[in-house]
Amino acid sequence: MVVSIEELACVDTLIWLRSGAVAAARLGVAQSTISRRVNHVAGLLNLRFFKPNGEWETLGDQTILNLERLVHQRYRWVHGRVLRIEAQYYSGPLFCDPIPDGWTPGNFDFMEIHTPLRLLRNGVIDAWIGCYPDVPDEDDSELACFHLTRLPSHLVVAVDHPLLYLGDHITLEDVRRYPSVALPDNAFPKVQKILQELGLWNLPLPVRRYSSDKWEGMMTQDLRVGYANSFTMHLFSAPHVVLPIDIPLETGDTLVVPRAYVKNLRLLELLAHLKGRAAILADRFAEVRVAGDG
């Protein structure tokens, strides 16, 4: 290894969790140690790590860095080191509280798929609970998917929204007369395509990381139409109502891991934990089913 285990752990934990103080607490070192080790790796590999808009970025040729990451990732999997798991803002608490043995959690606040997928492909994190259908294809050469849950998505509005006066006679054409919230372009490309084909997803909100005021809070404003499922209805800052109209959008939770470790005992143990949680959720919510069930 060109870079020591401790040094690369500091670099990747900082990039992943985005905070020097949080990274230091997670690794049990001083924040000055994080800075010193990150600077050493930057000088060693002729890179620059910087944080222009709240997210860490890397400037320079990252070929050696990413090769090192894959070596270190294998070391974590094979030698019983703590593994890193990330999840969606709603699925993290549902599946990873308590956190499975041998794993350490992320911030569970991504509102797009590209950053966690990049972190996973580069070996920064070891597993990600993504939001189906925006997960890798089954024939992806690097990543493997293990589906956990499926559930329908619904259109929702505030309790005083004019659409509710239409009762059961509401149509999609009625809904299209009002703004419907969206994330920035390509944040969840498959979901975006489905909703745009319905004439929805037309009012982008500048949200990259989850917080209730930036997502559910914005969806409660004025006459906007939002989206929710059984797992997210309780997150709104004000009561919301499901509109009596079905949309062809089924979502769910999918564990994504490097294909190289699909037979690793640690993955099998994680899957057993997550499938157990999925079964509990299916019992708790009438609309939720364990993936693969009829």
Side-chain angles (χ1 to χ4, degrees):
M1 296 181 184
V2 175
V3 181
S4 74
I5 294 171
E6 293 77 17
E7 287 178 328
L8 190 55
C10 287
V11 170
D12 286 347
T13 303
L14 176 65
I15 289 173
W16 174 34
L17 301 181
R18 298 162 42 235
S19 162
V22 174
R26 186 69 60 89
L27 295 175
V29 299
Q31 194 167 347
S32 59
T33 301
I34 298 285
S35 298
R36 184 174 65 255
R37 289 175 176 172
V38 168
N39 289 335
H40 181 259
V41 172
L44 184 66
L45 301 181
N46 194 28
L47 299 171
R48 185 165 76 89
F49 302 108
F50 61 108
K51 193 178 181 183
N53 297 302
E55 303 286 341
W56 283 95
E57 297 184 16
T58 306
L59 183 65
D61 185 349
Q62 300 177 56
T63 302
I64 295 177
L65 175 65
N66 288 332
L67 288 173
E68 284 286 299
R69 283 169 165 161
L70 295 178
V71 171
H72 286 236
Q73 183 180 62
R74 178 171 177 77
Y75 187 85
R76 290 196 298 275
W77 277 96
V78 173
H79 294 281
R81 293 293 186 109
V82 173
L83 295 168
R84 306 162 187 163
I85 188 168
E86 189 55 81
Q88 299 301 109
Y89 69 94
Y90 69 87
S91 60
L94 290 175
F95 286 94
C96 298
D97 185 12
I99 189 73
D101 289 342
W103 292 83
T104 190
N107 294 323
F108 301 152
D109 62 357
F110 287 111
M111 291 292 282
E112 45 87 21
I113 67 168
H114 305 288
T115 303
L117 274 175
R118 183 176 66 252
L119 294 175
L120 186 58
R121 290 187 189 280
N122 289 343
V124 176
I125 61 175
D126 305 298
W128 172 56
I129 302 176
C131 181
Y132 177 89
D134 279 293
V135 295
D137 294 332
E138 296 296 334
D139 60 355
D140 189 287
S141 62
E142 297 177 332
L143 301 176
C145 292
F146 298 88
H147 304 295
L148 303 171
T149 62
R150 291 285 188 275
L151 64 164
S153 294
H154 302 289
L155 301 177
V156 297
V157 294
V159 294
D160 57 351
H161 198 285
L163 281 170
L164 295 175
Y165 297 120
L166 299 176
D168 293 336
H169 302 292
I170 187 172
T171 67
L172 262 178
E173 188 59 37
D174 298 319
V175 176
R176 293 187 188 109
R177 296 190 180 102
Y178 293 89
S180 53
V181 296
L183 287 166
D185 187 52
N186 205 41
F188 290 87
K190 294 178 183 178
V191 167
Q192 177 178 340
K193 182 175 184 292
I194 292 170
L195 293 175
Q196 285 182 332
E197 287 176 349
L198 297 174
L200 307 172
W201 194 269
N202 54 37
L203 183 66
L205 302 180
V207 178
R208 288 195 64 193
R209 293 278 187 159
Y210 174 79
S211 66
S212 60
D213 60 324
K214 289 182 179 178
W215 182 234
E216 282 88 8
M218 287 184 177
M219 282 202 287
T220 66
Q221 296 176 14
D222 51 61
L223 300 177
R224 300 174 185 183
V225 177
Y227 320 98
N229 59 36
S230 295
F231 292 157
T232 60
M233 277 296 293
H234 72 285
L235 297 174
F236 289 106
S237 58
H240 269 56
V241 178
V242 174
L243 292 177
I245 181 170
D246 293 331
I247 57 173
L249 176 58
E250 184 177 57
T251 57
D253 303 289
T254 296
L255 177 68
V256 187
V257 295
R259 194 170 288 279
Y261 304 106
V262 295
K263 295 183 180 180
N264 189 284
L265 177 60
R266 302 182 71 186
L267 174 61
L268 300 180
E269 292 172 343
L270 176 64
L271 266 176
H273 170 87
L274 297 179
K275 287 184 176 293
R277 297 293 299 177
I280 292 171
L281 293 169
D283 286 339
R284 178 180 169 190
F285 297 100
E287 291 191 327
V288 177
R289 74 178 196 276
V290 175
D293 288 356

